[in-house]
Amino acid sequence: MGMKNKKFTEYLLEENFLSQEELNKILLVQKEKKGSLVELLIESGYIEEPQVLSLLSRYLGMPPVRVLHLNISDEILKIIPENLARQYQVLPIGRIGNTVTIAMADPLNVLLIDDLKTLTACQINPVIAPLSEIKEAIGNYYMPKALDTIEEIVKGNSAEGIEFIQTKIDDSSEEHILNPIDEAPVIKYNNYILEKAVEERTSDILIEPLEKSGRVRFRVDGLLKIAETYPKKMHPFIISRIKVMSNLNITEHRLPQDGRFRGKIHNKEVDFRVSVLPSSMGEKIALRVLDKSTAFLDLGLLGFEEEVALKIKEDSLKPHGLILVCGPTGSGKTTSLYSIMKYIYSPEKNITTVEDPIEYQMKGINQVSIEPSIGLTFASTLRSLLRQDPDVVMIGEIRDAEAAAIAIKAALTGHLVLSTLHTTTSPGSISRLLNMGIEPFLLSSTLVGVLTQRLVRRLCPRCKEAYEVPSVLSDKYFNGEKITLYRPKGCSFCQNFGYKGRLVECEYLQVVTQVKELIANRATEQVLKKEARKSGMYTLRQDGLIKARNGITSLEEVLRTTAPDEPL
């Protein structure tokens, strides 16, 4: 055994992984938490998982074991039942006489090894394996009891109680299919995943088949992370269950399908948009989670700077014209639009929307969902809608020249029109509309404002740490001023991400007289941007830097989400 006589902590110091100070800090935390030193090092971000592996393997003088492709017999797996394997994140891989070899991420965790000794009544021979692989292996190896083990996973959760709210009222033949499966643990497992997703404020759930197992990933605050792995043979059941809930065709496995369902989770209604895609390993499902209670439909809470919020409010109260919200998929455009509608709503106004699909139900607003399969398209719905005497029309998205033409026409005939467009900058959206064939003089007389936005992660208020900006960065982004910014650290409150929640970074282009003239003369995007900045528009990058300066987000986030500006 390598350097057994030397303490691992001394070894860490010698190898310059930590300073004495940092080590003391970590040992204090370990005293409180009584956890594994190695896991703490990874959690607090001092050392990455691969580094820890090679460190431990050098220290203990043993190579890491790759646990994913071993042939482990059921007898050996029985030594440690699955629920304990999951709880301790360990995997039994072999046995000679009275000694069991167990793969673990931290073979130095003496307390854990003692526990395992007592549990198995055997001597323990610990070996190192990467934590992520142990997790996946547990999902793969404890296969035969797949359905009982789900019972185990779900046991501690209240996942019984998701009530599905049927949207379509079909004939009763549907009932017979639902009942027999109803008893199956698959339903509990699905409910468990949906509940967990809502608790963790997930925006998308991906359920994917891999070669030997299936996995569930959650997108939280814009970044994906692995939430669960499960035996591959359960995959078709999980997929079928979601298809049943979304009224999709269970027998169709070769074509993509789209649907939606609504469930009651923790006493609130949550909508799920479902997309099924056939991939080479099996069907893959993406669920978009629309939790109406987490959407703050309030312009003040989304993260707009005060000046910008005032301009938007002022423009949204104009009697007619076109206001656009732009940005890539998943940048919060719909939420901003709804917030604007909520702000301008009053019983004296007739507000009508055409959406695909309706994302949030709003009180007092008439919402229409399009159904292209029966000929209810954006264009045809809009034509009828304009005969309904609306004051404000919201169009889910301008996708083609036809919808653009109707939107402009509606704005000309005295309606306030709100819509979204997929473009990357505010001046760019004007060029896009002109390219769609809208006449410049019509656009310049109807367009009121263009809001472009991105979402950035918000620094966790409890653990963000201040640092002085190095002069290289300060010269580049802050005109050489001496300034203090914050960076992410990670604590239990933000699940060690260092970030919690997201907010909007935006640029709002108000179409003032000079800009109108430029549009009428088909000016290029660069010229428009210059003029807009002269008349007071902050670009996405500038808006982000203000937020970094105020300590709400980090400089890395701003640079990750925005493009640099040309000098004025």
Side-chain angles (χ1 to χ4, degrees):
M1 273 265 179
M3 317 182 178
K4 205 60 205 249
N5 49 1
K6 189 184 295 173
K7 275 181 135 177
F8 183 57
T9 45
E10 292 169 19
Y11 182 61
L12 280 175
L13 292 175
E14 267 177 38
E15 295 281 305
N16 285 332
F17 268 102
L18 294 175
S19 64
Q20 185 68 53
E21 244 172 299
E22 293 172 315
L23 181 63
N24 295 347
K25 251 196 220 166
I26 286 245
L27 289 173
L28 267 176
V29 177
Q30 190 195 4
K31 249 191 195 146
E32 285 171 32
K33 272 192 165 177
K34 299 202 169 34
S36 122
L37 177 66
V38 173
E39 274 176 35
L40 269 179
L41 287 170
I42 297 178
E43 261 177 36
S44 20
Y46 284 110
I47 306 183
E48 303 279 304
E49 187 183 58
Q51 281 182 317
V52 168
L53 261 186
S54 63
L55 243 183
L56 275 173
S57 107
R58 286 207 304 272
Y59 174 70
L60 297 168
M62 58 162 106
V65 178
R66 288 272 123 101
V67 287
L68 283 175
H69 307 297
L70 300 174
N71 199 356
I72 305 177
S73 70
D74 285 350
E75 238 157 277
I76 287 172
L77 288 173
K78 272 188 200 137
I79 301 175
I80 296 183
E82 179 175 15
N83 53 346
L84 293 174
R86 271 180 195 281
Q87 186 184 335
Y88 292 131
Q89 306 284 355
V90 297
L91 185 74
I93 56 177
R95 175 178 190 163
I96 298 171
N98 197 28
T99 304
V100 182
T101 301
I102 293 187
M104 47 194 349
D106 180 9
L108 301 172
N109 190 340
V110 191
L111 296 172
L112 175 54
I113 293 174
D114 284 347
D115 281 358
L116 293 172
K117 241 185 210 161
T118 323
L119 276 169
T120 56
C122 297
Q123 291 300 315
I124 303 293
N125 170 32
V127 295
I128 326 168
L131 186 61
S132 48
E133 288 184 18
I134 292 180
K135 281 185 179 170
E136 196 175 326
I138 292 174
N140 293 354
Y141 290 122
Y142 287 90
M143 276 251 216
K145 313 198 295 292
L147 292 176
D148 319 337
T149 59
I150 293 178
E151 294 279 14
E152 296 288 327
I153 303 175
V154 175
K155 201 174 261 169
N157 293 282
S158 59
E160 308 278 323
I162 300 187
E163 210 185 300
F164 289 98
I165 303 161
Q166 284 285 327
T167 35
K168 289 186 186 153
I169 300 167
D170 266 356
D171 57 358
S172 56
S173 64
E174 190 72 17
E175 289 303 303
H176 305 303
I177 312 172
L178 284 174
N179 281 343
I181 316 178
D182 246 338
E183 276 65 57
V186 170
I187 290 190
K188 287 188 183 169
Y189 187 61
N190 272 15
N191 290 358
Y192 160 70
I193 289 173
L194 298 179
E195 281 202 354
K196 189 170 165 183
V198 171
E199 277 164 21
E200 296 192 13
R201 305 189 334 280
T202 303
S203 61
D204 299 84
I205 306 170
L206 303 180
I207 301 176
E208 308 159 308
L210 303 173
E211 208 172 335
K212 293 188 171 163
S213 62
R215 74 170 172 200
V216 181
R217 291 192 290 171
F218 289 170
R219 190 179 288 283
V220 179
D221 290 344
L223 293 182
L224 276 174
K225 61 168 195 172
I226 297 182
E228 290 286 325
T229 53
Y230 55 84
K232 177 81 177 243
K233 57 154 68 148
M234 280 171 53
H235 188 74
F237 298 113
I238 292 179
I239 298 285
S240 297
R241 169 64 185 155
I242 291 181
K243 286 183 179 172
V244 167
M245 281 158 30
S246 332
N247 289 315
L248 298 177
N249 179 355
I250 304 184
T251 55
E252 177 57 76
H253 303 294
R254 296 161 309 168
L255 293 174
Q257 300 187 65
D258 289 309
R260 57 186 313 162
F261 63 89
R262 182 182 298 175
K264 204 168 193 168
I265 298 180
H266 300 313
N267 282 329
K268 51 190 182 186
E269 281 189 17
V270 181
D271 270 354
F272 294 90
R273 273 214 317 249
V274 182
S275 157
V276 186
L277 193 70
S279 76
S280 58
M281 303 271 184
E283 286 177 288
K284 170 182 179 222
I285 278 192
L287 296 148
R288 165 63 64 87
V289 185
L290 300 166
D291 179 354
K292 302 180 172 121
S293 63
T294 56
F296 320 111
L297 299 179
D298 184 328
L299 282 171
L301 297 176
L302 295 177
F304 291 112
E305 297 299 322
E306 195 117 332
E307 277 176 58
V308 179
L310 282 174
K311 285 180 182 174
I312 296 173
K313 287 178 173 175
E314 173 195 334
D315 285 348
S316 62
L317 291 172
K318 291 191 170 157
H320 53 83
L322 175 63
I323 295 179
L324 291 176
V325 182
C326 308
T329 320
S331 60
K333 300 188 292 292
T334 314
T335 308
S336 293
L337 267 187
Y338 277 109
S339 308
I340 293 174
M341 285 199 296
K342 188 175 172 192
Y343 172 71
I344 58 182
Y345 171 75
S346 73
E348 291 84 63
K349 286 185 181 157
N350 175 5
I351 301 180
T352 312
T353 73
V354 189
E355 303 169 61
D356 172 28
I358 294 171
E359 294 200 19
Y360 306 108
Q361 306 281 347
M362 285 185 80
K363 285 196 176 103
I365 287 177
N366 315 298
Q367 293 170 283
V368 183
S369 180
I370 68 164
E371 279 290 343
S373 55
I374 54 169
L376 191 62
T377 60
F378 267 126
S380 63
T381 313
L382 276 168
R383 285 197 193 95
S384 323
L385 191 149
L386 291 174
R387 301 190 196 108
Q388 291 273 332
D389 176 43
D391 301 302
V392 180
V393 181
M394 191 271 253
I395 306 170
E397 186 188 335
I398 294 180
R399 293 186 185 171
D400 49 33
E402 195 177 9
I406 298 174
I408 294 282
K409 201 161 142 195
L412 275 174
T413 50
H415 305 87
L416 180 67
V417 181
L418 308 170
S419 186
T420 70
L421 199 63
H422 283 283
T423 55
T424 48
T425 64
S426 295
S429 57
I430 295 174
S431 314
R432 170 94 199 272
L433 286 170
L434 293 175
N435 290 344
M436 274 184 175
I438 301 291
E439 290 295 342
F441 65 92
L442 289 180
L443 190 59
S444 72
S445 57
T446 52
L447 196 60
V448 172
V450 185
L451 172 68
T452 299
Q453 60 182 61
R454 300 281 183 283
L455 290 178
V456 281
R457 293 181 295 162
R458 197 189 280 269
L459 279 168
C460 168
R462 294 198 187 168
C463 66
K464 61 180 182 184
E465 51 181 15
Y467 68 101
E468 193 153 300
V469 180
S471 55
V472 186
L473 291 176
S474 154
D475 290 345
K476 195 166 177 189
Y477 302 113
F478 301 101
N479 307 327
E481 290 174 53
K482 267 200 133 162
I483 103 175
T484 304
L485 293 183
Y486 289 85
R487 56 179 160 219
K489 188 173 173 202
C491 63
S492 57
F493 180 61
C494 57
Q495 295 172 335
N496 283 313
F497 282 122
Y499 294 98
K500 185 131 175 121
R502 292 190 289 177
L503 75 158
V504 164
E505 250 177 355
C506 69
E507 61 184 31
Y508 186 60
L509 168 60
Q510 251 187 331
V511 184
V512 290
T513 321
Q514 299 90 313
V515 178
K516 280 184 195 287
E517 278 173 20
L518 288 175
I519 297 175
N521 296 324
R522 279 186 183 273
T524 62
E525 191 177 327
Q526 282 71 24
V527 177
L528 278 167
K529 183 170 178 178
K530 232 177 207 162
E531 185 51 60
R533 286 175 70 184
K534 277 186 197 152
S535 63
M537 174 182 92
Y538 284 129
T539 62
L540 282 166
R541 172 62 62 89
Q542 287 170 312
D543 190 64
L545 291 175
I546 292 173
K547 290 182 166 56
R549 195 171 236 194
N550 294 340
I552 308 171
T553 187
S554 65
L555 186 58
E556 294 79 41
E557 273 294 288
V558 176
L559 303 184
R560 180 177 71 86
T561 50
T562 60
D565 300 321
E566 309 79 54
L568 263 183

